[in-house]
PDB file of all heavy atoms in Angstrom:
ATOM      1  N   THR M  11      14.532  -9.716 -23.668  1.00 58.00           N
ATOM      2  CA  THR M  11      15.567  -9.075 -22.860  1.00 58.00           C
ATOM      3  C   THR M  11      16.151  -7.844 -23.543  1.00 58.00           C
ATOM      4  O   THR M  11      17.077  -7.241 -23.033  1.00 58.00           O
ATOM      5  CB  THR M  11      16.707 -10.069 -22.543  1.00 58.00           C
ATOM      6  OG1 THR M  11      17.235 -10.545 -23.779  1.00 58.00           O
ATOM      7  CG2 THR M  11      16.218 -11.193 -21.672  1.00 58.00           C
ATOM      8  N   SER M  35      19.456  20.083  -2.703  1.00 72.00           N
ATOM      9  CA  SER M  35      20.571  20.996  -2.964  1.00 72.00           C
ATOM     10  C   SER M  35      20.153  22.443  -2.803  1.00 72.00           C
ATOM     11  O   SER M  35      20.866  23.257  -2.216  1.00 72.00           O
ATOM     12  CB  SER M  35      21.108  20.777  -4.382  1.00 72.00           C
ATOM     13  OG  SER M  35      21.696  19.510  -4.471  1.00 72.00           O
ATOM     14  N   GLY M  42      20.595  30.355  -0.344  1.00 77.00           N
ATOM     15  CA  GLY M  42      19.563  31.087  -1.066  1.00 77.00           C
ATOM     16  C   GLY M  42      18.334  31.441  -0.248  1.00 77.00           C
ATOM     17  O   GLY M  42      17.839  32.565  -0.311  1.00 77.00           O
ATOM     18  N   PHE M  44      18.135  31.688   2.992  1.00 79.00           N
ATOM     19  CA  PHE M  44      18.445  32.368   4.249  1.00 79.00           C
ATOM     20  C   PHE M  44      19.408  33.547   4.076  1.00 79.00           C
ATOM     21  O   PHE M  44      19.868  34.125   5.053  1.00 79.00           O
ATOM     22  CB  PHE M  44      19.061  31.372   5.240  1.00 79.00           C
ATOM     23  CG  PHE M  44      18.199  30.162   5.485  1.00 79.00           C
ATOM     24  CD1 PHE M  44      18.436  28.981   4.811  1.00 79.00           C
ATOM     25  CD2 PHE M  44      17.148  30.222   6.382  1.00 79.00           C
ATOM     26  CE1 PHE M  44      17.639  27.863   5.033  1.00 79.00           C
ATOM     27  CE2 PHE M  44      16.349  29.119   6.611  1.00 79.00           C
ATOM     28  CZ  PHE M  44      16.583  27.944   5.939  1.00 79.00           C
ATOM     29  N   TYR M  47      19.316  37.155   5.884  1.00 81.00           N
ATOM     30  CA  TYR M  47      19.469  37.270   7.335  1.00 81.00           C
ATOM     31  C   TYR M  47      20.945  37.249   7.706  1.00 81.00           C
ATOM     32  O   TYR M  47      21.716  36.471   7.149  1.00 81.00           O
ATOM     33  CB  TYR M  47      18.740  36.126   8.055  1.00 81.00           C
ATOM     34  CG  TYR M  47      17.263  36.080   7.733  1.00 81.00           C
ATOM     35  CD1 TYR M  47      16.719  35.054   6.977  1.00 81.00           C
ATOM     36  CD2 TYR M  47      16.411  37.080   8.201  1.00 81.00           C
ATOM     37  CE1 TYR M  47      15.375  35.015   6.687  1.00 81.00           C
ATOM     38  CE2 TYR M  47      15.063  37.054   7.909  1.00 81.00           C
ATOM     39  CZ  TYR M  47      14.542  36.016   7.150  1.00 81.00           C
ATOM     40  OH  TYR M  47      13.206  35.988   6.852  1.00 81.00           O
ATOM     41  N   GLY M  48      21.325  38.086   8.660  1.00 84.00           N
ATOM     42  CA  GLY M  48      22.705  38.126   9.116  1.00 84.00           C
ATOM     43  C   GLY M  48      23.159  36.806   9.719  1.00 84.00           C
ATOM     44  O   GLY M  48      24.325  36.461   9.658  1.00 84.00           O
ATOM     45  N   SER M  61      15.657  18.662  10.195  1.00 91.00           N
ATOM     46  CA  SER M  61      15.213  17.835   9.076  1.00 91.00           C
ATOM     47  C   SER M  61      15.871  16.456   9.103  1.00 91.00           C
ATOM     48  O   SER M  61      15.217  15.446   8.854  1.00 91.00           O
ATOM     49  CB  SER M  61      15.518  18.541   7.753  1.00 91.00           C
ATOM     50  OG  SER M  61      15.043  17.786   6.667  1.00 91.00           O
ATOM     51  N   SER M  66      15.190  10.759   9.884  1.00 93.00           N
ATOM     52  CA  SER M  66      15.634   9.522  10.552  1.00 93.00           C
ATOM     53  C   SER M  66      14.488   8.887  11.338  1.00 93.00           C
ATOM     54  O   SER M  66      14.263   7.675  11.246  1.00 93.00           O
ATOM     55  CB  SER M  66      16.806   9.815  11.489  1.00 93.00           C
ATOM     56  OG  SER M  66      17.901  10.308  10.777  1.00 93.00           O
ATOM     57  N   THR M  68      11.305   9.389  10.836  1.00 94.00           N
ATOM     58  CA  THR M  68      10.281   8.961   9.876  1.00 94.00           C
ATOM     59  C   THR M  68      10.642   7.615   9.278  1.00 94.00           C
ATOM     60  O   THR M  68       9.794   6.724   9.166  1.00 94.00           O
ATOM     61  CB  THR M  68      10.108  10.015   8.765  1.00 94.00           C
ATOM     62  OG1 THR M  68       9.676  11.244   9.352  1.00 94.00           O
ATOM     63  CG2 THR M  68       9.098   9.568   7.722  1.00 94.00           C
ATOM     64  N   GLU M  80       3.077   1.157   3.828  1.00 88.00           N
ATOM     65  CA  GLU M  80       2.750   0.730   2.462  1.00 88.00           C
ATOM     66  C   GLU M  80       1.315   1.118   2.108  1.00 88.00           C
ATOM     67  O   GLU M  80       1.061   1.648   1.019  1.00 88.00           O
ATOM     68  CB  GLU M  80       2.939  -0.778   2.312  1.00 88.00           C
ATOM     69  CG  GLU M  80       2.665  -1.266   0.907  1.00 88.00           C
ATOM     70  CD  GLU M  80       2.891  -2.763   0.752  1.00 88.00           C
ATOM     71  OE1 GLU M  80       3.110  -3.465   1.747  1.00 88.00           O
ATOM     72  OE2 GLU M  80       2.832  -3.221  -0.399  1.00 88.00           O
ATOM     73  N   LEU M  82      -0.443   3.552   3.372  1.00 90.00           N
ATOM     74  CA  LEU M  82      -0.485   5.005   3.226  1.00 90.00           C
ATOM     75  C   LEU M  82       0.063   5.440   1.871  1.00 90.00           C
ATOM     76  O   LEU M  82      -0.544   6.257   1.169  1.00 90.00           O
ATOM     77  CB  LEU M  82       0.325   5.675   4.340  1.00 90.00           C
ATOM     78  CG  LEU M  82       0.546   7.177   4.205  1.00 90.00           C
ATOM     79  CD1 LEU M  82      -0.749   7.921   4.487  1.00 90.00           C
ATOM     80  CD2 LEU M  82       1.645   7.636   5.140  1.00 90.00           C
ATOM     81  N   PHE M  90       0.162  13.318  -4.204  1.00 83.00           N
ATOM     82  CA  PHE M  90       0.019  14.773  -4.269  1.00 83.00           C
ATOM     83  C   PHE M  90       0.369  15.418  -2.937  1.00 83.00           C
ATOM     84  O   PHE M  90       0.939  16.505  -2.897  1.00 83.00           O
ATOM     85  CB  PHE M  90      -1.406  15.152  -4.677  1.00 83.00           C
ATOM     86  CG  PHE M  90      -1.781  14.637  -6.039  1.00 83.00           C
ATOM     87  CD1 PHE M  90      -2.542  13.489  -6.170  1.00 83.00           C
ATOM     88  CD2 PHE M  90      -1.334  15.278  -7.173  1.00 83.00           C
ATOM     89  CE1 PHE M  90      -2.873  13.002  -7.420  1.00 83.00           C
ATOM     90  CE2 PHE M  90      -1.659  14.794  -8.434  1.00 83.00           C
ATOM     91  CZ  PHE M  90      -2.438  13.648  -8.558  1.00 83.00           C
ATOM     92  N   GLY M 110      12.130  36.270  17.165  1.00 93.00           N
ATOM     93  CA  GLY M 110      11.247  35.760  18.208  1.00 93.00           C
ATOM     94  C   GLY M 110      10.795  34.334  17.997  1.00 93.00           C
ATOM     95  O   GLY M 110      11.328  33.588  17.174  1.00 93.00           O
ATOM     96  N   GLY M 121      11.871  22.294   9.259  1.00 93.00           N
ATOM     97  CA  GLY M 121      12.773  21.147   9.345  1.00 93.00           C
ATOM     98  C   GLY M 121      12.029  19.844   9.574  1.00 93.00           C
ATOM     99  O   GLY M 121      12.299  18.832   8.921  1.00 93.00           O
ATOM    100  N   GLY M 125      11.726  16.860   6.754  1.00 92.00           N
ATOM    101  CA  GLY M 125      12.221  15.528   7.091  1.00 92.00           C
ATOM    102  C   GLY M 125      11.155  14.456   6.961  1.00 92.00           C
ATOM    103  O   GLY M 125      11.388  13.395   6.382  1.00 92.00           O
ATOM    104  N   PHE M 127       8.184  14.540   5.241  1.00 92.00           N
ATOM    105  CA  PHE M 127       7.696  14.335   3.878  1.00 92.00           C
ATOM    106  C   PHE M 127       8.775  13.766   2.960  1.00 92.00           C
ATOM    107  O   PHE M 127       8.483  12.910   2.131  1.00 92.00           O
ATOM    108  CB  PHE M 127       7.118  15.636   3.309  1.00 92.00           C
ATOM    109  CG  PHE M 127       5.777  15.976   3.881  1.00 92.00           C
ATOM    110  CD1 PHE M 127       5.611  17.076   4.702  1.00 92.00           C
ATOM    111  CD2 PHE M 127       4.667  15.189   3.609  1.00 92.00           C
ATOM    112  CE1 PHE M 127       4.374  17.389   5.238  1.00 92.00           C
ATOM    113  CE2 PHE M 127       3.421  15.494   4.133  1.00 92.00           C
ATOM    114  CZ  PHE M 127       3.273  16.592   4.947  1.00 92.00           C
TER     115      PHE M 127
END
Side-chain angles (χ1 to χ4, degrees):
T11 58
S35 293
F44 305 98
Y47 302 111
S61 183
S66 298
T68 299
E80 182 178 8
L82 171 72
F90 298 100
F127 285 112

